[in-house]
Amino acid sequence: DKSLDSLDSSTSSKTKKTQQQQQLKNKTRNKRRAEATRTVTNDLCDIVTDLFIAEAKLLKPSIYGIETSLHQRDQVFGDIYNFVSALPPRYALGVDTPSEVLLHMRLMAAARSDNNRAVVHLTKLNNNQVPASDVLSEDSLFLVTISSIDCQGLLEYITRLLATGGSRVLDADVMMSSDNIVLDRFIVQM
């Protein structure tokens, strides 16, 4: 009996040690991922800040939801960082171009300005901009970006609306900001 108890104790001790090692590995891995995400987010915000300052000389900064002076680069960077950080981390990791961030800032600022408003942006895509397996014919492909206040059944309503008239939703990227504004992107074949 004593030998079985010592064997169980030894096995239990090894299991606890293995679990602790695995937890330490997971903690270290999660820390590295968080640091990488922070680095990508900071780099993206830095590039978008430069683009914003260049564009805002031609347009009004308020259409982006930013009410700061262009001479205060740190404050502009902070506003852009807050925008990107209000979305899920995959946003910073997956956004295609810095100008797309500015577009999303404009769309979401417009959606915030009116609770009953949905803002839509259409971009015609080339067939080579989506995986070949998704495209069955030479129909037109569009990136449809929609922003509005979130509400019950919104995603279902949007996808049903996009699928009318024989259109096909090939891909969707759906996210919501921390202040309940949706940013939904769909690749639609029409």
Side-chain angles (χ1 to χ4, degrees):
D1 262 349
K2 288 184 178 181
S3 65
L4 285 176
D5 285 343
S6 95
L7 181 62
D8 285 345
S9 175
S10 173
T11 304
S12 175
S13 175
K14 288 180 182 178
T15 303
K16 284 183 182 179
K17 187 175 181 180
T18 303
Q19 287 174 344
Q20 288 173 343
Q21 288 173 338
Q22 188 61 41
Q23 287 174 347
L24 183 61
K25 282 182 183 178
N26 287 343
K27 193 179 282 188
T28 302
R29 186 180 305 121
N30 289 339
K31 185 178 178 182
R32 283 195 318 259
R33 285 181 182 155
E35 288 172 11
T37 301
R38 238 185 334 273
T39 300
V40 168
T41 300
N42 284 336
D43 289 348
L44 175 66
C45 292
D46 198 39
I47 293 166
V48 173
T49 298
D50 291 340
L51 183 60
F52 172 82
I53 290 171
E55 252 192 45
K57 290 176 182 173
L58 305 172
L59 302 170
K60 290 190 275 183
S62 62
I63 67 170
Y64 298 94
I66 295 179
E67 301 294 336
T68 61
S69 166
L70 296 180
H71 302 293
Q72 300 170 343
R73 188 182 193 289
D74 290 343
Q75 191 170 354
V76 171
F77 178 91
D79 289 342
I80 292 169
Y81 184 86
N82 290 340
F83 170 80
V84 172
S85 297
L87 293 164
R90 65 185 169 83
Y91 177 78
L93 298 171
V95 70
D96 291 329
T97 64
S99 59
E100 191 175 22
V101 175
L102 293 180
L103 169 68
H104 297 158
M105 289 177 73
R106 286 191 300 264
L107 294 176
M108 292 178 77
R112 279 185 190 92
S113 71
D114 185 349
N115 289 345
N116 298 314
R117 181 180 187 183
V119 185
V120 180
H121 184 267
L122 294 170
T123 304
K124 187 166 177 22
L125 300 175
N126 299 324
N127 282 355
N128 62 356
Q129 290 177 287
V130 291
S133 61
D134 291 340
V135 181
L136 296 178
S137 69
E138 292 298 316
D139 291 340
S140 295
L141 296 175
F142 291 90
L143 173 62
V144 180
T145 307
I146 300 173
S147 184
S148 72
I149 299 286
D150 191 30
C151 63
Q152 184 72 29
L154 179 64
L155 180 59
E156 179 185 1
Y157 177 77
I158 291 170
T159 53
R160 220 183 296 147
L161 189 62
L162 290 173
T164 59
S167 297
R168 288 185 27 190
V169 176
L170 301 177
D171 190 27
D173 185 17
V174 178
M175 60 189 82
M176 184 169 36
S177 68
S178 58
D179 64 343
N180 210 36
I181 304 291
V182 297
L183 180 64
D184 298 341
R185 296 180 288 179
F186 302 90
I187 295 179
V188 180
Q189 185 176 26
M190 298 181 186

